[in-house]
């Protein structure tokens, strides 16, 4: 009975001068003044929109859910390294142009398209399956990507408690606080209250020549999709700050017809086990469209863990 949206405006990015070599540090901070901005926002809503009642302005104690954080793998320019890895896996030396093509396909997503005609090389006995290549060569265990994680200033020893692996239409991603993994926001690991002074998530990433990381910040029901705002994670330690606005609907709202309220709740999904959201809907429609027109798609909504 709730909907949540994340305002990622007002993000300020501060790069520290200090560069810690291989460590990629960035912090997602939610600063205290964001609460004040939310109150102001609610007040404005209350004054301009007769259907919104800003009762939350009276809360002196509250618990809020951190947004969903997605860390997705994206391509770098490691064609030679990829060639070497292909050699190791298949015990065979492939032509550079061929491995490059496989590399490009492995990182294919709606924002990262490869328009060249596939090179046909009949001298290879393999029937190259891009999903297989991804499974063999890219990490699916968060320990391979996350070096250290701190939430509210405390070290999280097991990254799997927070980041769950999923395949989205943007490729291989580790998602935190996403409704794909939890039945309700109350069960999510990243929550903070009025009593927490340190409302930050700090991530130290492991660097790889094979891929780079891209960060997505969205509501817990949303998935990284082609139209999401992304934040490229560089080697410079960077801080991002976000305002979080959480909207609680009255329980009775779900009894209103969908045509009347003009939106759906995450539980009202057309695909079983998939929380409904605009982004999930877009990804599913894209996948269906691709299957219809080309009989292939890298994203299969029914199989999100391979
Ligand atoms: C096909 O692969 C072989 C073996 O690596 C290579 O010598 C040949 O140039 C490739 N052909 C094309 C068209 O890429
Ligand atoms: C991920 O790797 C860690 C450390 O190597 C291991 O303990 C854990 O079981 C792995 N998780 C999965 C899901 O394979
Ligand atoms: C929050 O905790 C992190 C990690 O311990 C620390 O680096 C950071 O300075 C803390 N932030 C505040 C505002 O205390």
């Amino acid at each position: 009975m709730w909907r949540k949206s994340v305002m990622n405006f007002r993000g300020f990015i501060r790069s520290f001068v200090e560069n810690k070599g291989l460590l990629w540090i960035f912090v997602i901070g939610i600063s205290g003044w964001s609460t004040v901005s939310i109150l102001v926002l609610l007040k404005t809503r209350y004054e301009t929109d007769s259907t919104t009642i800003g009762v939350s302005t009276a809360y002196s104690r509250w618990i809020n859910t951190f947004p969903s954080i997605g860390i997705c793998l994206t391509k770098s320019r490691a064609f030679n390294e990829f060639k070497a890895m292909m050699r190791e896996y298949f015990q065979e030396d492939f032509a550079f142009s061929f491995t490059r093509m496989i590399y490009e396909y492995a990182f294919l997503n709606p924002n990262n398209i490869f328009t060249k005609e596939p090179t046909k090389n009949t001298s290879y006995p393999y029937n190259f399956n891009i999903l297989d290549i991804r499974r063999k060569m890219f990490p699916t265990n968060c320990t391979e990507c996350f070096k250290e994680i701190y939430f509210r200033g405390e070290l999280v020893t097991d990254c799997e408690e927070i980041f769950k692996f999923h395949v989205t239409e943007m490729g291989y991603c580790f998602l935190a606080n996403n409704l794909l993994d939890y039945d309700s926001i109350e069960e999510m690991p990243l929550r903070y209250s009025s009593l927490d002074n340190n409302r930050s998530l700090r991530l130290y990433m492991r660097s790889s020549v094979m891929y780079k990381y891209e960060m997505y910040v969205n509501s817990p029901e949303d998935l990284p999709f082609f139209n999401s705002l992304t934040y490229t994670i560089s080697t410079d330690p960077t801080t991002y700050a976000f305002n979080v606005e959480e909207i609680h609907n009255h329980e009775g709202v779900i009894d209103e017809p969908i045509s009347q309220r003009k939106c759906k709740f995450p539980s009202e999904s057309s695909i079983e086990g998939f929380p409904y959201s605009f982004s999930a809907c877009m990804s599913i429609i894209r996948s269906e469209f691709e299957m219809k027109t080309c009989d292939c798609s890298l994203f299969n909504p029914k199989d999100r863990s391979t």
Side-chain angles (χ1 to χ4, degrees):
M1 303 302 138
W2 50 270
R3 265 175 63 81
K4 188 162 186 292
S5 58
V6 174
M7 301 285 169
N8 42 23
F9 55 81
R10 274 293 190 182
F12 70 88
I13 303 167
R14 197 198 303 139
S15 290
F16 297 93
V17 185
E18 194 187 1
N19 188 343
K20 292 247 167 75
L22 279 182
L23 296 186
W24 293 356
I25 309 169
F26 68 94
V27 180
I28 303 156
I30 297 209
S31 49
W33 56 258
S34 67
T35 321
V36 177
S37 327
I38 293 166
L39 302 189
V40 172
L41 211 78
L42 282 173
K43 186 170 166 288
T44 320
R45 287 258 176 105
Y46 179 63
E47 283 161 358
T48 55
D49 179 352
S50 59
T51 59
T52 308
I53 300 168
V55 284
S56 50
T57 50
Y59 290 167
S60 56
R61 287 179 60 184
W62 45 265
I63 296 175
N64 206 346
T65 314
F66 220 72
S68 176
I69 312 292
I71 303 288
C72 299
L73 305 186
T74 178
K75 71 172 177 181
S76 91
R77 294 182 168 274
F79 306 123
N80 284 321
E81 287 82 359
F82 190 71
K83 193 172 181 299
M85 255 175 105
M86 290 271 287
R87 189 191 302 128
E88 203 175 297
Y89 275 108
F90 296 97
Q91 298 292 313
E92 189 175 337
D93 219 354
F94 298 101
F96 182 80
S97 62
F98 185 75
T99 47
R100 182 178 172 162
M101 181 185 74
I102 299 286
Y103 185 78
E104 295 280 355
Y105 275 121
F107 285 102
L108 209 63
N109 69 39
N111 293 346
N112 204 353
I113 51 175
F114 184 62
T115 49
K116 279 202 202 109
E117 274 290 302
T119 357
K120 287 209 179 68
N121 196 328
T122 45
S123 60
Y124 297 133
Y126 305 100
N127 186 6
F128 277 97
N129 179 334
I130 296 300
L131 297 177
D132 256 1
I133 298 273
R134 279 180 169 184
R135 273 192 289 266
K136 285 198 175 93
M137 303 200 174
F138 298 161
T140 58
N141 188 326
C142 62
T143 50
E144 291 177 55
C145 299
F146 296 87
K147 197 161 188 237
E148 274 174 29
I149 300 174
Y150 293 85
F151 182 57
R152 296 185 308 206
E154 286 161 28
L155 178 70
V156 179
T157 44
D158 183 7
C159 65
E160 285 177 336
E161 274 172 30
I162 294 186
F163 284 95
K164 318 277 186 197
F165 174 75
H166 287 286
V167 184
T168 71
E169 76 165 358
M170 302 315 287
Y172 272 22
C173 297
F174 295 94
L175 305 183
N177 260 27
N178 199 285
L179 269 189
L180 277 182
D181 302 303
Y182 306 94
D183 289 334
S184 76
I185 56 166
E186 279 77 30
E187 296 165 24
M188 292 183 176
L190 306 180
R191 310 197 74 207
Y192 59 95
S193 74
S194 50
L195 303 174
D196 290 312
N197 296 324
N198 195 328
R199 297 169 198 157
S200 70
L201 175 68
R202 176 179 281 243
L203 306 175
Y204 292 73
M205 306 302 296
R206 290 184 204 279
S207 67
S208 164
V209 284
M210 289 290 289
Y211 46 81
K212 294 186 293 190
Y213 300 105
E214 215 150 27
M215 179 173 74
Y216 295 77
V217 180
N218 42 256
S219 299
E221 71 272 20
D222 272 314
L223 296 175
F225 81 123
F226 77 98
N227 207 21
S228 313
L229 201 59
T230 65
Y231 305 84
T232 303
I233 299 174
S234 72
T235 46
D236 295 329
T238 310
T239 304
Y240 294 96
F242 297 89
N243 282 341
V244 174
E245 186 188 348
E246 193 164 310
I247 302 168
H248 287 265
N249 285 301
H250 187 280
E251 290 192 6
V253 174
I254 202 161
D255 298 328
E256 283 289 309
I258 292 170
S259 58
Q260 182 77 24
R261 58 181 135 104
K262 295 196 172 69
C263 62
K264 279 186 185 175
F265 285 87
S267 58
E268 297 175 301
S269 174
S270 49
I271 289 198
E272 219 169 305
F274 218 106
Y276 173 82
S277 64
F278 179 74
S279 54
C281 185
M282 293 298 273
S283 298
I284 292 165
I285 289 174
R286 173 189 292 280
S287 167
E288 283 170 357
F289 177 76
E290 286 173 351
M291 286 309 288
K292 219 162 90 189
T293 33
C294 351
D295 200 24
C296 68
S297 174
L298 286 179
F299 175 65
N300 178 358
K302 296 199 182 85
D303 182 12
R304 300 181 305 268
S305 54
T306 51

